[in-house]
Amino acid sequence: MRLCALPMVMPTIVGIFGVVAVYGGSGYLALAAQAVGLDWKPRLYGLGGILIAHVFFNLPLAIRLLLPAFASVPAESWRLAAQLGMGSRDIFRIIEIPLLRQQLPGIGIIIFMLCFTTFAVALTLGGGPGATTLEVAIYQALRFDFDLRLGAMLAILQILFCAGGAWAVWRTGRQMVLGTSARLVAYRYDGRTRGARLADFGVIVLGAIFLVLPILALVQKGLIGITAAASVESLLHAGLISLGLGLAGGMTATLIGYLIAQARQRAVSLGRKRGAMLLGLAGRLGLFVSPMVIGTGIFLAASGHIDLYRLAAAGVILLSAVMALPFVLGVLEPALEVAAERHDRLCAALGLTGWNRFCHTDWPTLRRPIATALALSSVIAMGDLGAIALFGNQDMVNLTLLLYSQLGAYRLDGAASTALILLALALVFYWTIERVVGGRELH
């Protein structure tokens, strides 16, 4: 599960480089073909490359979303299945298929929306007009053609698609009623045969190889090409900009996310379900509306009033915060729900409200979830390519934009080192924020 978390916190452009290092024309796959005497090179750039990159980034997300669904099956159900002598086929038909029918449509649509609104993957691996997505078309209209009208039309088209996806998620987001549980440890008795264990082992190994190979390739090529990296001054300057923009974007997203989560929790406690649902949907705008659409809105709102290229940092921070907001809410909302369940009555009895309640009750309880939300949003903001590509300029080049320019110029050795530095910086950044802000775990 820790391996599944890595692609989720890894900057997208870094993961793309790892995919190129394995499946590109001079990647591991091509070298393996040469080693066995085959004159074959994979053609990564195009729809095939986009598909591989999307699977690399979203396979861990699918696993992490499906595991809680399987974990929600009460232990009594597995024991009853064993007592009735049900085999794997019967368990799949009676327990797993109904569960998957409830969960898979929603998870599939969420991942489809993430792939539909992706920017960095399509821009880097598109390979030409044949694989141009709406995201890239909006970016080209705004950045190169300066055609706000075309950008707005494309943005409206994408909003319509995203609204359809959001409606589908809302319609399919149902929970399967599995009954109450005595909170026993859930063991599956059908997976203890040698054949089942071998099948499980094979699937896990194949998945691990698919996820690990790009990371290993990135580390290997990054260490080899360290001498071809950019100058120390350029790397230091870009690294400081990455840290500054990432921290500012993360703090903005965490603050807004905390306020939205609090307002939603208050609406739930007052029985205002529709208001709570609208607040949740508003906070998840970045999940269903692409950064290019939001950027188009910012461009249109600022047109004739503000020179966005002079206030590029503000645009990058705002856009990256909106994109990180759904992940912040995903961490804070469950924690706030538990905290409200435990402390609302006590705080009401003691008259603790506002800032006093936050300092004496909420902060000690929510410190670690807040730290996780801040670390996750900061890393997402630091590695986001869409915001910096849309609003960035020559004076504001972070490591993500530097890596993209090196990839575009086919300076793959230097790009490998920059990607490795960005990955290491993101992991250290994430760990430092969690440790410093989160403190020690309360027992």
Side-chain angles (χ1 to χ4, degrees):
M1 288 305 295
R2 289 183 182 276
L3 179 63
C4 288
L6 194 54
M8 296 174 67
V9 300
M10 178 188 293
T12 308
I13 191 73
V14 174
I16 291 170
F17 183 85
V19 170
V20 173
V22 175
Y23 304 100
S26 57
Y28 284 180
L29 208 58
L31 293 177
Q34 285 181 5
V36 296
L38 295 176
D39 185 17
W40 172 79
K41 285 187 177 181
R43 297 181 62 183
L44 182 67
Y45 293 93
L47 292 176
I50 293 175
L51 178 64
I52 292 173
H54 280 159
V55 174
F56 174 74
F57 284 112
N58 293 300
L59 176 64
L61 175 63
I63 293 172
R64 293 182 75 90
L65 290 176
L66 277 173
L67 268 183
F70 279 95
S72 66
V73 178
E76 292 85 346
S77 298
W78 300 120
R79 296 177 69 176
L80 181 61
Q83 289 172 352
L84 294 175
M86 293 169 62
S88 297
R89 184 177 299 176
D90 297 324
I91 289 177
F92 181 72
R93 182 171 55 85
I94 296 173
I95 297 179
E96 293 181 330
I97 285 183
L99 182 70
L100 293 174
R101 279 180 180 165
Q102 295 284 339
Q103 301 293 331
L104 277 184
I107 294 174
I109 293 171
I110 287 175
I111 292 177
F112 169 77
M113 296 301 295
L114 288 174
C115 298
F116 183 74
T117 57
T118 187
F119 172 70
V121 172
L123 182 68
T124 312
L125 298 177
T132 298
T133 62
L134 274 174
E135 287 285 286
V136 177
I138 295 171
Y139 169 70
Q140 289 171 343
L142 294 179
R143 189 71 185 186
F144 297 113
D145 302 333
F146 301 103
D147 191 340
L148 288 179
R149 186 177 177 184
L150 177 61
M153 289 175 62
L154 293 171
I156 290 171
L157 182 62
Q158 190 165 39
I159 285 174
L160 291 176
F161 280 113
C162 292
W167 179 82
V169 170
W170 177 68
R171 292 289 296 173
T172 56
R174 301 171 185 165
Q175 292 295 323
M176 182 176 174
V177 179
L178 295 163
T180 56
S181 167
R183 296 180 181 276
L184 300 174
V185 178
Y187 291 111
R188 286 194 59 162
Y189 298 92
D190 63 317
R192 296 186 172 184
T193 63
R194 179 173 294 180
R197 288 186 177 184
L198 280 175
D200 291 344
F201 178 76
V203 171
I204 292 172
V205 166
L206 284 177
I209 289 174
F210 181 74
L211 295 177
V212 164
L213 264 184
I215 299 169
L216 290 180
L218 171 66
V219 173
Q220 187 249 339
K221 288 183 179 292
L223 292 175
I224 290 176
I226 198 72
T227 54
S231 64
V232 176
E233 291 80 10
S234 299
L235 288 173
L236 188 60
H237 183 254
L240 289 174
I241 290 177
S242 292
L243 290 175
L245 291 177
L247 188 59
M251 291 176 69
T252 306
T254 305
L255 177 61
I256 296 173
Y258 182 79
L259 295 176
I260 291 178
Q262 278 284 14
R264 181 183 173 278
Q265 184 57 43
R266 195 164 299 149
V268 170
S269 62
L270 294 174
R272 299 174 181 169
K273 294 182 179 178
R274 182 167 294 181
M277 186 191 71
L278 290 176
L279 280 169
L281 282 177
R284 286 166 177 79
L285 184 70
L287 195 61
F288 303 110
V289 182
S290 73
M292 287 302 117
V293 172
I294 299 173
T296 306
I298 296 175
F299 263 104
L300 291 174
S303 178
H305 306 287
I306 302 173
D307 185 359
L308 281 177
Y309 292 109
R310 294 184 62 183
L311 298 173
V316 173
I317 292 169
L318 183 62
L319 188 52
S320 56
V322 172
M323 303 315 298
L325 197 52
F327 301 95
V328 172
L329 289 174
V331 175
L332 289 185
E333 279 182 351
L336 277 172
E337 190 177 337
V338 173
E341 209 171 285
R342 290 178 179 173
H343 301 136
D344 270 2
R345 290 182 181 176
L346 179 62
C347 289
L350 296 175
L352 271 178
T353 57
W355 181 250
N356 283 332
R357 170 171 173 159
F358 178 79
C359 292
H360 296 99
T361 305
D362 290 341
W363 174 248
T365 308
L366 299 173
R367 183 173 179 175
R368 290 186 69 82
I370 289 175
T372 302
L374 177 61
L376 187 59
S377 57
S378 297
V379 170
I380 290 173
M382 188 176 81
D384 183 46
L385 178 62
I388 193 73
L390 193 60
F391 294 105
N393 54 44
Q394 292 181 344
D395 298 327
M396 196 176 66
V397 177
N398 64 0
L399 284 175
T400 309
L401 199 56
L402 178 64
L403 173 57
Y404 173 67
S405 64
Q406 288 174 330
L407 282 173
Y410 296 101
R411 292 166 51 197
L412 297 184
D413 291 340
S417 299
T418 305
L420 184 59
I421 292 170
L422 179 56
L423 177 61
L425 194 62
L427 295 179
V428 171
F429 196 36
Y430 184 94
W431 181 82
T432 303
I433 292 175
E434 267 212 320
R435 292 287 294 178
V436 172
V437 180
R440 292 183 178 178
E441 190 170 3
L442 296 175
H443 295 285

